Amino acid sequence: MEDVVTPGEAASPARSRGRAARLVQRGSQEPRRPYISRRIGTFNILDEEGLSLIEANADRLLKEIGMEFHDDPEILDLFRDAGADVKGTRVRFEPDMCRKIVRATAPQQFKQHARNPANTVVIGGDNTVLCPSWGPPFVHDLDRGRRYATLNDFRDLVRIHQMIPYLHHSGGVVCEPVDLPANKRHLDMLYTHVRYSDRPFMGAFIGSMRAQDAVDIAKIVFGEEFVANNAVLYNVSNTNAPLVLDANMSGSLKVYARNNQPVACTPWTLAGAMSPCTVAGTLAQVLAEALACLSLVQLINPGAPCLMGSFASTISMQSGAPTFGTPEAAKMVLAAGQLARRLGVPFHTVGTLSASKLPDAQAEQEGTWGLLMSLLAGANVVNHATGWLEGGLVTGFEKTIIDADLCGKVMSLFEGIDLSPNAQAMEAIEEVGPGSHFLGSAHTQSNFLSAFYRSTISDNNSFEQWNSEGGLDAAQRANLRWKKLLADYTDPGLDPAVDEELQAFIARRKESMPDQDYF
């Protein structure tokens, strides 16, 4: 690959409410950066002894228990030919076998291209790409409440994401448009990303047929030769923890790997249910599952881009419900980041997850904790950086906006401290001298627009002013802002010939199969 670095219609704007209305204007002038270049180091929670222990335990799991690969004989043959012990659908690996396969050929860094080159992202190293929510069948906003998502909701979210400067990726299933047939809706979703955004986007994850549709669409947009040599899609392949990969996931993995498109091999675990109820046990299982899948990518196509992923959280021991923003989840993501760096592949994980039903204090406490821990873990791609509610059942419009503001703060934090002559401000201190103030100084006047991060939703005024302007809480201000973003949406445009070819391809694919209400 050329870039591999080896070892609904817009809602009406809300009525102006003084400063609240002015506040939602912010963001349109914010500088866009295609991704975060982190200048703050990672937080290493495990020492060498601890990391070596987790790796040894993962090797033990792979050798003594092994991993199941269901309904895909080709995978079994690949592993058998590579020297693994295959009995039925169970594959067992000698210690260090998978690690050697991955380290031999997997790239440490690569680019995922956007159709607008200015939005191309670099995945790996000290770079972080923030992606929106993925997969919820419901959406929520303050006006219409919780409801099944539709294609109009999907389009609106893609447009909103396109207008948020702190997101770097258009994502994938930003909500599940359940008004469309289950076996065809991926075509409409892929088209919406291409048509209404010019950022990188994800392919279809479930099954080889849908994955191939995504690759064929990418070839129409970017050209067949370009796709053959460059990453333009992004795929997440989730294991069925514990220690199973099914044919839907392996089918899409194989298509993307063969087409040189990135695969994030991501065990999906809730500790206490799908993995042990301890951090160390879950980490060993996560690493074992990821190693097996990463080695599969490299056996299919040596050098294909891939990421070690981890979606690891906890459950309530009282009800069994998923819980997020827990200290145990933080420990798991921090350690998983270390394990990925030792393996030598980029790290994929998740962000502002919450079990809350509304964009309230619980949602933002859990979401803030999750996103900060993922960045401190050195995540290269963060899925679900905005919008996630109700344990992944809901994409919230207001939560998307509140989370986006958090993404902006995180981006500013991880840029580190500016040490330029202007930032050192020595002349400013000399100008002001002892006992005065900097409010009117030349340095303040020339820097006031960019000196500090300016929140797009916070209200910092007195109680009296806040009250006179409607007494809006953060969710109500976020409601105004997403409507404003939709009203101000700037269409990136699409070559009419490409658009026509895409629509013709999608029409042919839809006509080739009957509607189904299941995957």
Side-chain angles (χ1 to χ4, degrees):
M1 294 180 64
E2 291 179 0
D3 294 310
V4 165
V5 179
T6 56
E9 298 306 312
S12 299
R15 181 173 61 87
S16 173
R17 294 185 181 180
R19 183 179 177 276
R22 293 194 299 274
L23 190 63
V24 301
Q25 301 279 354
R26 289 184 188 170
S28 58
Q29 291 82 34
E30 294 287 346
R32 273 195 175 180
R33 298 173 181 84
Y35 50 89
I36 300 173
S37 295
R38 288 179 277 106
R39 296 177 183 172
I40 293 180
T42 56
F43 186 91
N44 296 328
I45 195 168
L46 287 175
D47 59 15
E48 175 65 29
E49 182 181 0
L51 291 166
S52 296
L53 177 64
I54 298 298
E55 289 173 338
N57 286 343
D59 282 347
R60 178 180 172 184
L61 293 177
L62 289 172
K63 177 176 175 57
E64 297 181 7
I65 300 174
M67 187 160 170
E68 293 273 342
F69 294 87
H70 291 173
D71 303 315
D72 199 330
E74 182 188 12
I75 288 177
L76 303 176
D77 290 339
L78 281 168
F79 281 132
R80 186 181 293 109
D81 292 344
D85 176 24
V86 180
K87 290 183 174 62
T89 57
R90 182 75 61 92
V91 182
R92 293 178 174 85
F93 305 87
E94 288 299 313
D96 215 33
M97 172 183 170
C98 294
R99 191 173 291 104
K100 287 179 179 177
I101 292 171
V102 174
R103 285 177 172 166
T105 55
Q108 296 181 0
Q109 184 169 297
F110 58 91
K111 290 181 180 179
Q112 186 191 355
H113 290 265
R115 65 184 184 90
N116 177 357
N119 292 330
T120 290
V121 296
V122 178
I123 296 175
D126 293 327
N127 307 306
T128 298
V129 176
L130 300 180
C131 312
S133 181
W134 197 100
F138 298 96
V139 291
H140 175 274
D141 64 65
L142 296 186
D143 303 302
R144 294 166 287 184
R146 183 185 190 268
R147 62 195 186 279
Y148 277 108
T150 67
L151 183 59
N152 281 337
D153 292 314
F154 189 96
R155 288 175 183 147
D156 282 348
L157 285 165
V158 169
R159 289 167 173 155
I160 290 169
H161 298 153
Q162 172 74 4
M163 295 293 288
I164 293 172
Y166 308 122
L167 283 174
H168 313 114
H169 207 278
S170 195
V173 185
V174 296
C175 65
E176 191 79 49
V178 299
D179 55 333
L180 299 176
N183 63 323
K184 298 179 181 180
R185 65 179 67 140
H186 66 287
L187 297 164
D188 297 275
M189 290 189 280
L190 289 163
Y191 174 79
T192 300
H193 283 297
V194 172
R195 175 62 188 83
Y196 296 105
S197 175
D198 59 1
R199 291 177 174 174
F201 60 97
M202 297 182 180
F205 293 2
I206 301 176
S208 58
M209 181 195 74
R210 295 177 183 85
Q212 189 60 55
D213 285 341
V215 171
D216 291 341
I217 284 173
K219 289 177 179 178
I220 293 171
V221 175
F222 293 93
E224 189 165 345
E225 183 177 353
F226 192 86
V227 171
N229 294 291
N230 298 277
V232 299
L233 293 168
Y234 190 90
N235 176 55
V236 178
S237 185
N238 292 128
T239 59
N240 291 31
L243 299 165
V244 174
L245 188 69
D246 66 33
N248 278 325
M249 289 290 102
S250 65
S252 61
L253 180 152
K254 290 192 299 184
V255 169
Y256 290 114
R258 286 193 172 111
N259 285 277
N260 284 320
Q261 302 304 306
V263 179
C265 299
T266 307
W268 204 105
T269 56
L270 292 173
M274 303 155 71
S275 66
C277 63
T278 59
V279 171
T282 293
L283 285 169
Q285 182 183 311
V286 165
L287 180 58
E289 293 178 8
L291 280 169
C293 295
L294 288 164
S295 64
L296 175 59
V297 171
Q298 295 308 306
L299 289 174
I300 291 169
N301 185 6
C306 55
L307 302 89
M308 175 180 160
S310 176
F311 185 126
S313 195
T314 53
I315 64 167
S316 166
M317 286 301 190
Q318 285 70 45
S319 68
T323 54
F324 304 98
T326 63
E328 294 78 19
K331 294 174 188 178
M332 288 188 278
V333 74
L334 291 169
Q338 285 183 266
L339 293 165
R341 287 191 293 280
R342 282 165 67 91
L343 186 58
V345 293
F347 180 46
H348 167 108
T349 191
V350 291
T352 60
L353 309 187
S354 177
S356 182
K357 317 308 177 283
L358 296 170
D360 58 9
Q362 176 188 342
E364 293 319 306
Q365 183 203 70
E366 292 171 348
T368 300
W369 180 266
L371 187 61
L372 279 172
M373 292 302 137
S374 292
L375 268 291
L376 288 170
N380 299 113
V381 176
V382 177
N383 208 11
H384 315 298
T386 58
W388 227 64
L389 283 170
E390 206 176 320
L393 290 175
V394 173
T395 297
F397 279 67
E398 286 81 22
K399 185 161 189 291
T400 293
I401 298 303
I402 297 171
D403 288 343
D405 191 52
L406 174 64
C407 289
K409 292 176 182 177
V410 166
M411 178 181 289
S412 180
L413 170 64
F414 279 84
E415 287 175 347
I417 297 176
D418 181 2
L419 295 176
S420 67
N422 175 66
Q424 293 174 54
M426 300 307 294
E427 291 81 3
I429 299 171
E430 291 173 1
E431 174 195 341
V432 171
S436 187
H437 63 77
F438 290 82
L439 291 174
S441 71
H443 185 267
T444 299
Q445 293 297 309
S446 63
N447 285 279
F448 79 96
L449 284 176
S450 59
F452 308 126
Y453 175 77
R454 301 181 71 201
S455 172
T456 56
I457 57 164
S458 294
D459 186 296
N460 304 305
N461 283 326
S462 67
F463 172 83
E464 289 76 14
Q465 183 172 348
W466 167 79
N467 191 52
S468 70
E469 294 175 345
L472 305 182
D473 64 19
Q476 291 169 319
R477 294 191 294 272
N479 179 271
L480 292 175
R481 179 153 175 75
W482 70 254
K483 293 173 181 176
K484 179 64 176 171
L485 291 179
L486 276 180
D488 290 348
Y489 167 75
T490 302
D491 191 335
L494 182 64
D495 184 323
V498 172
D499 198 351
E500 183 179 354
E501 188 175 355
L502 281 173
Q503 295 195 50
F505 171 82
I506 289 169
R508 288 195 304 272
R509 291 292 297 125
K510 288 183 175 181
E511 290 169 2
S512 71
M513 51 187 158
D515 291 354
Q516 292 179 350
D517 292 328
Y518 55 89
F519 289 113

